[in-house]
Amino acid sequence: MPLNRRTFLGTSAAAGAGAVIAGGAASPAQAHGRGHGGGHGRPPKRYSFTVMGTTDLHGNVFNWDYFTDAEFDDKDHNDVGLAKISTLVEEVRREKGRHNTLMIDAGDTIQGTQLSYYYAKIDPITAKRGPVHPMAQAMNAIGYDAAALGNHEFNYGIPVLRAFEEQCDFPLLGANALDARTLRPAFAPYVIRKLRTPHGRDVRVAVLGLTNPGIAIWDKANVGGKMVFPGLVEQAAKFVPRLRSMGADVVIVSAHSGTSGTSSYGDQLPHVENAAALVAEQVPGIDAILVGHAHQEIPEYFVENEETGKRVVLSEPLKWGQRLTLFDFDVMWEKGRWVVERAGSRVLNSNTVAEDPKITKLLADEHRKVVAYVNQVIGTSAAAMTTAEAAWKDEPIIDLINVVQTETVRAALAGGEYAELPVLSQASCFSRTARIPAGDVTIRDAAGLYPFENTLEARLLTGAQVRDYLEYSAKYYVRTAAGAPVDPAKLTNAENTPDYNYDAVSGLTYDIDIAQPVGSRIVNLAFEGKPVDPAARFVLAVNNYRASGGGNFPHVPGAKQLWANSEEIRNTIIGWVQAKGSVDSAEFASVDWRLTRDGVPVF
């Protein structure tokens, strides 16, 4: 029978127990022929099965971009969404035999698209009534066996997460998401699934779920005093031996954690953020790890356990439903138990198949409702604004992002210790095709300025640190001698720096002398018309990607965090436009920075 929170827990905090679910009968084709280890001349008993995995789905059901109001596409022609994944899953089940497969996920499920935002904020799901979350509907229809918790599961608060959990026909796993009072798992730590073989002896497959300890920082407002998040290695070392003692033949970890062994928050994070490889290396008894969080494609990666020498296979299926991981296991009956002979992995690309009509039909009404929502008019604009030249000019459309962030941070700090400090703000040109039209402005127009799921923070910097930050950002421009011709198409992206790693900073004025070498380009840096004092203190309104080390900008990751929230910046922009009713760039646009050569403006 399917397992959900109602049948598993019944209360908000599990007592550290897992769950065992019986599977179906395996097809005879999965029994293998003769091999070693049979004894007494009998062929050994063998069985094969496949565990499929997704991660970082981020609210993607359809192959649709709600910000462009068109089918999703990127430069690599990836497709997205659970409707595509469902088709791949059904193909694998037909090939392998449905009862010889399991389906799991590694977290970050209910946040990321306007579809998921709608059912968290506009028409929110509840535990007792109201709509069923589209991700729960789709994952139930596909037939997931378990899903680990991701850090973004906590963005909308614990009540929304608990409502989602109630709607899932599978457990949400989090062995290191503990009740702050009892220090017991607040969610199911693991599930054990039985797969029947033709040999009369089930294979017991344990799935241990681990989430990201960064939740304690990133969603402190939602989890502070309620939940704590110890390290992945620590909790895996506690639970894996327990699972083996309970008779688990195969142990799989579903970890919302990358493989790099690093933490983007440095000393602020008490445990390693991207610890999946460390878990494989340091905790014996694991056969495979489904990796998440890092949004990378890892078809197959082996890590040797330092105690046993056994190789553990890791795989990460990119993000958004663009890939499906397949872990293929061969097991053999030996000395009274099933032993893994071979474990490997690969990924399938969802752009090779059509969307499953079962899923698209199931959620057609929700999709239409959200398409209508994102095309809803929320205000007007006195003039058209575009990012077409924002990569090399201070454009009003980027000023719009900065004024929203500045006002949001200033309001958050009002009345506190840092209320009197000047607020600066950083923003990037994420897309050179974003625009706010003259006249009616829709939700998707406003949201299109910020295609990423970033949230907003406030960090404390000195004037000297701000200068360093700007110097680092200015490496984005190709060094161009005074008097040499300037081609905007060849001026940017020096050292392969992407557009989203060039920051324009508002709240002060400065020139970028592109004739100078990197590190010596910021001139005439001033605040309120006076040169910036290196010792002066500033508040920087900054997105969480940059604050956590994204782009390797100096000082910010280690700077004191004054405030943070879990609201996506794009939704803050939407709310700001709605509250204003009309947007007039003349009220906020200013030329704070410009490109120069030997003091002469380039444009």
Side-chain angles (χ1 to χ4, degrees), residues 64-407:
W64 193 259
D65 185 339
Y66 290 96
F67 300 122
T68 62
D69 203 21
E71 184 174 305
F72 177 88
D73 194 22
D74 63 13
K75 63 182 178 61
D76 298 317
H77 302 298
N78 288 303
D79 287 347
V80 300
L82 279 170
K84 292 266 184 172
I85 291 295
S86 182
T87 300
L88 290 175
V89 168
E90 289 306 311
E91 288 183 353
V92 173
R93 286 172 174 162
R94 281 194 296 269
E95 176 190 349
K96 305 285 186 179
R98 184 180 185 91
H99 299 299
N100 302 316
T101 65
L102 297 175
M103 182 72 192
I104 63 176
D105 182 81
D108 274 7
T109 303
I110 61 171
Q111 174 273 349
T113 64
Q114 289 298 301
L115 179 70
S116 54
Y117 177 80
Y118 187 91
Y119 287 98
K121 293 287 192 178
I122 307 304
D123 187 10
I125 61 172
T126 64
K128 297 185 181 299
R129 62 186 183 278
V132 178
H133 199 288
M135 296 301 287
Q137 292 191 61
M139 294 173 82
N140 289 343
I142 291 170
Y144 275 76
D145 292 280
L149 294 163
N151 54 283
H152 283 289
E153 258 66 83
F154 294 85
N155 285 175
Y156 299 123
I158 293 174
V160 169
L161 175 54
R162 288 299 189 192
F164 175 70
E165 183 186 23
E166 289 282 351
Q167 294 176 346
C168 292
D169 294 337
F170 52 91
L172 301 182
L173 306 179
N176 62 328
L178 309 184
D179 181 277
R181 183 178 58 85
T182 66
L183 297 184
R184 293 180 174 179
F187 296 84
Y190 59 83
V191 64
I192 297 178
R193 190 78 154 86
K194 292 181 180 179
L195 296 177
R196 290 192 188 137
T197 75
H199 307 295
R201 300 181 184 274
D202 296 340
V203 175
R204 294 165 61 90
V205 182
V207 180
L208 177 68
L210 296 171
T211 192
N212 204 289
I215 296 166
I217 293 175
W218 304 324
D219 266 305
K220 183 178 180 180
N222 290 325
V223 302
K226 300 174 183 177
M227 293 185 189
V228 294
F229 302 86
L232 283 84
V233 172
E234 172 188 342
Q235 290 301 97
K238 176 180 178 179
F239 278 99
V240 171
R242 183 182 303 180
L243 292 170
R244 289 294 184 181
S245 69
M246 292 170 62
D249 301 300
V250 179
V251 174
I252 300 169
V253 174
S254 183
H256 193 74
S257 183
T259 61
S260 67
T262 62
S263 290
S264 56
Y265 270 70
D267 293 341
Q268 291 191 52
L269 198 59
H271 303 285
V272 176
E273 176 183 347
N274 295 300
L278 295 176
V279 171
E281 181 182 77
Q282 297 179 20
V283 181
I286 297 169
D287 296 294
I289 300 180
L290 177 64
V291 178
H293 185 61
H295 292 202
Q296 294 182 347
E297 181 175 352
I298 304 175
E300 183 178 62
Y301 173 53
F302 288 98
V303 173
E304 185 174 295
N305 184 268
E306 60 187 12
E307 180 176 327
T308 65
K310 175 183 174 181
R311 293 204 312 166
V312 182
V313 63
L314 287 72
S315 180
E316 183 174 8
L318 199 54
K319 60 182 179 180
W320 303 350
Q322 294 175 348
R323 304 289 186 273
L324 175 69
T325 280
L326 304 185
F327 289 108
D328 293 313
F329 294 93
D330 296 333
V331 295
M332 180 176 69
W333 185 257
E334 186 176 89
K335 297 180 181 178
R337 56 169 298 219
W338 290 106
V339 177
V340 174
E341 279 193 299
R342 188 195 72 86
S345 65
R346 54 198 167 103
V347 296
L348 304 180
N349 194 325
S350 66
N351 71 5
T352 62
V353 297
E355 292 184 312
D356 186 344
K358 174 182 71 176
I359 303 300
T360 57
K361 183 178 180 180
L362 176 68
L363 291 162
D365 288 344
E366 287 83 349
H367 177 63
R368 283 193 293 267
K369 188 180 294 186
V370 175
V371 167
Y373 162 73
V374 299
N375 283 288
Q376 173 185 325
V377 174
I378 56 172
T380 60
S381 177
M385 294 180 281
T386 175
T387 57
E389 297 184 332
W392 56 86
K393 291 182 181 178
D394 188 346
E395 289 287 316
I397 197 166
I398 304 299
D399 293 337
L400 174 60
I401 298 173
N402 277 327
V403 74
V404 172
Q405 294 182 163
T406 299
E407 290 185 5

Side-chain angles (χ1 to χ4, degrees), residues 329-567:
F329 294 93
D330 296 333
V331 295
M332 180 176 69
W333 185 257
E334 186 176 89
K335 297 180 181 178
R337 56 169 298 219
W338 290 106
V339 177
V340 174
E341 279 193 299
R342 188 195 72 86
S345 65
R346 54 198 167 103
V347 296
L348 304 180
N349 194 325
S350 66
N351 71 5
T352 62
V353 297
E355 292 184 312
D356 186 344
K358 174 182 71 176
I359 303 300
T360 57
K361 183 178 180 180
L362 176 68
L363 291 162
D365 288 344
E366 287 83 349
H367 177 63
R368 283 193 293 267
K369 188 180 294 186
V370 175
V371 167
Y373 162 73
V374 299
N375 283 288
Q376 173 185 325
V377 174
I378 56 172
T380 60
S381 177
M385 294 180 281
T386 175
T387 57
E389 297 184 332
W392 56 86
K393 291 182 181 178
D394 188 346
E395 289 287 316
I397 197 166
I398 304 299
D399 293 337
L400 174 60
I401 298 173
N402 277 327
V403 74
V404 172
Q405 294 182 163
T406 299
E407 290 185 5
T408 301
V409 167
R410 192 172 284 139
L413 299 180
E417 178 183 355
Y418 304 97
E420 301 306 314
L421 292 182
V423 178
L424 314 179
S425 176
Q426 61 80 221
S428 302
C429 176
F430 294 119
S431 166
R432 299 193 187 190
T433 59
R435 61 186 297 272
I436 297 291
D440 289 344
V441 177
T442 65
I443 285 175
R444 68 180 181 88
D445 290 330
L449 295 182
Y450 223 106
F452 297 105
E453 297 86 14
N454 296 340
T455 56
L456 189 60
E457 299 191 14
R459 296 286 179 122
L460 184 65
L461 297 180
T462 66
Q465 290 174 328
V466 170
R467 177 180 288 276
D468 289 346
Y469 188 100
L470 292 172
E471 286 285 8
Y472 182 85
S473 184
K475 72 182 180 64
Y476 171 74
Y477 294 105
V478 175
R479 188 176 184 182
T480 309
V486 175
D487 179 358
K490 299 177 181 178
L491 181 62
T492 62
N493 306 103
E495 302 179 24
N496 295 315
T497 303
D499 290 347
Y500 61 76
N501 274 342
Y502 169 68
D503 286 356
V505 175
S506 69
L508 33 70
T509 57
Y510 57 98
D511 293 341
I512 303 173
D513 190 334
I514 60 173
Q516 300 303 314
V518 170
S520 302
R521 292 180 169 181
I522 301 302
V523 293
N524 302 323
L525 178 61
F527 173 70
E528 293 185 342
K530 299 178 181 179
V532 169
D533 180 352
R537 297 196 304 169
F538 296 91
V539 176
L540 179 65
V542 60
N543 69 53
N544 68 309
Y545 172 75
R546 191 71 78 236
S548 64
N552 295 314
F553 277 64
H555 305 306
V556 175
K560 182 179 180 63
Q561 184 190 75
L562 308 181
W563 171 84
N565 76 351
S566 58
E567 175 86 353

